[in-house]
Amino acid sequence: MAILSIEPLTRQAFAPFGDVVETEGLTPLSINQGYASRYNELANVDVGAEGGQINISLFVASVRPAPIALRLMERHPLGSQLFMPLNGGDWLVVVCTDPRAPSSYRAFAANGKQGVNYGRNCWHHPLLVLKDASSFLVVDRKGGGDNLEEYWLDEIIQLDPRTAASSPR
């Protein structure tokens, strides 16, 4: 059984898999007569394949027992999938380039101010939270076509959330 180490989530480290959604280091536009700030272009939402449309939903996730046994990876060939935490809780992101190759897996510790936008066809593990009842705003694709591919791992990969050091706040 392979054990996956966890690294902090950064834009640079996550770039091969999609976008880190955060405002850290960005300059906002002042809007609403100066009473609000707007951060534009935080992610490349890609849902138009085969006539797809944007779907906005809310996920509420539960904690998995530690150490986490990674058994399933999934990807969405027709669109991106964005997760943005709403409760401010730290969470984990697991991606890979080839679900059959354990050496291609990477795990990231995301802080509660960071979301991710998995690029189209990016292999990723389903949502992994560190606190029960963690809510996420999800932006992904709705419409016709087969937009889910799952791969069940032959060999379980373990992830220990207690070793996660979250990204800078």
Side-chain angles (χ1 to χ4, degrees), residues 5-24 42 82-85 89-95 106-118 122 124 127-128 136 163-169:
S5 62
I6 303 170
E7 60 188 286
L9 179 65
T10 65
R11 286 185 183 106
Q12 182 179 7
F14 194 74
F17 308 102
D19 309 302
V20 173
V21 182
E22 65 182 340
T23 59
E24 184 69 32
L42 297 177
L82 185 148
F83 288 84
M84 190 69 201
D90 295 348
W91 59 296
L92 301 173
V93 176
V94 176
V95 292
R106 294 188 62 191
F108 298 96
N111 70 48
K113 296 180 181 180
Q114 293 177 302
V116 297
N117 182 46
Y118 298 114
C122 173
H124 62 277
L127 192 54
L128 295 170
F136 285 75
T163 66
S166 71
S167 299
R169 293 189 185 259

Side-chain angles (χ1 to χ4, degrees), residues 132-147:
D132 276 332
S134 291
S135 298
F136 285 75
L137 178 74
V138 179
V139 179
D140 61 0
R141 182 187 182 280
K142 67 178 179 180
D146 188 3
N147 193 34

Side-chain angles (χ1 to χ4, degrees), residues 48-169:
E50 297 185 23
Q53 299 175 335
I54 290 178
N55 179 49
I56 297 175
S57 55
L58 180 72
F59 285 22
V60 180
S62 298
V63 175
R64 295 170 189 252
I68 299 168
L70 304 178
R71 301 173 191 273
L72 168 74
M73 296 297 281
E74 65 181 33
R75 68 178 175 179
H76 307 283
L78 301 179
S80 60
Q81 190 176 44
L82 185 148
F83 288 84
M84 190 69 201
L86 299 177
N87 299 60
D90 295 348
W91 59 296
L92 301 173
V93 176
V94 176
V95 292
C96 70
T97 56
D98 180 353
R100 294 163 197 83
S103 63
S104 78
Y105 282 70
R106 294 188 62 191
F108 298 96
N111 70 48
K113 296 180 181 180
Q114 293 177 302
V116 297
N117 182 46
Y118 298 114
R120 184 191 301 201
N121 273 320
C122 173
W123 286 106
H124 62 277
H125 192 275
L127 192 54
L128 295 170
V129 298
L130 301 175
K131 182 179 176 187
D132 276 332
S134 291
S135 298
F136 285 75
L137 178 74
V138 179
V139 179
D140 61 0
R141 182 187 182 280
K142 67 178 179 180
D146 188 3
N147 193 34
L148 175 62
E149 184 179 344
E150 295 179 331
Y151 180 81
W152 289 89
L153 281 63
D154 293 329
E155 180 181 333
I156 295 171
I157 298 174
Q158 273 194 351
L159 181 67
D160 190 346
R162 297 168 293 204
T163 66
S166 71
S167 299
R169 293 189 185 259

